[in-house]
Amino acid sequence: QVQLVESGGGLAQPGGSLRLSCTPSRSIFSVNDMGWYRQAPGKERELVARIPSDGSPDYADSVKGRFTISRDNAKKTAYLQMNSLKPEDTAVYYCTARLRRYSFSTLDDYWGQGTQVTVSS
């Protein structure tokens, strides 16, 4: 079973930075879109940023100019660089990827277990 493994969460001060990473736990054939969602307590899960295998990323309005999503296709890894963090960015951040486990597999969506990001002084 393939899992997406997230790392890089933690505690940051307002105005600070964190960098999240997401990579499959096992070797896979290919990965298409990758993205990050977040869920704050009492709120619905929302899209933060997503990046196709070839194309431009897009962002939630609330993070534009502060967050940057990128990917390393050779490593099949996605990153989320978060700068100028605000207390309202506090949430559990989830990685998602649409990938093909084997060459003969269908494209399926996978999710990570989430990593906590807390922005507080």
Side-chain angles (χ1 to χ4, degrees):
Q1 180 73 357
V2 175
Q3 295 180 342
L4 296 179
V5 180
E6 300 131 333
S7 62
L11 176 65
Q13 292 188 339
S17 299
L18 286 172
R19 187 188 193 218
L20 306 182
S21 300
C22 169
T23 192
S25 60
R26 294 171 178 262
S27 176
I28 59 171
F29 179 72
S30 66
V31 58
N32 286 23
D33 294 0
M34 302 187 80
W36 292 92
Y37 284 71
R38 67 185 181 186
Q39 187 166 20
K43 295 188 176 181
E44 293 188 355
R45 191 173 296 189
E46 63 175 359
L47 174 69
V48 176
R50 58 189 169 199
I51 184 169
S53 56
D54 55 351
S56 299
D58 64 298
Y59 298 90
D61 288 342
S62 59
V63 306
K64 281 181 181 176
R66 300 188 299 121
F67 291 11
T68 302
I69 188 171
S70 61
R71 59 190 289 166
D72 183 329
N73 288 330
K75 296 180 179 179
K76 298 181 176 64
T77 297
Y79 305 95
L80 185 68
Q81 178 66 44
M82 304 184 293
N83 298 330
S84 302
L85 283 163
K86 303 176 181 180
E88 50 263 44
D89 294 319
T90 296
V92 177
Y93 283 70
Y94 297 91
C95 174
T96 183
R98 178 161 292 180
L99 61 87
R100 206 183 297 272
R101 176 72 175 93
Y102 303 104
S103 61
F104 51 81
S105 303
T106 57
L107 277 170
D108 292 315
D109 292 326
Y110 288 78
W111 290 83
Q113 292 190 325
T115 184
Q116 178 70 45
V117 170
T118 302
V119 184
S120 174
S121 56

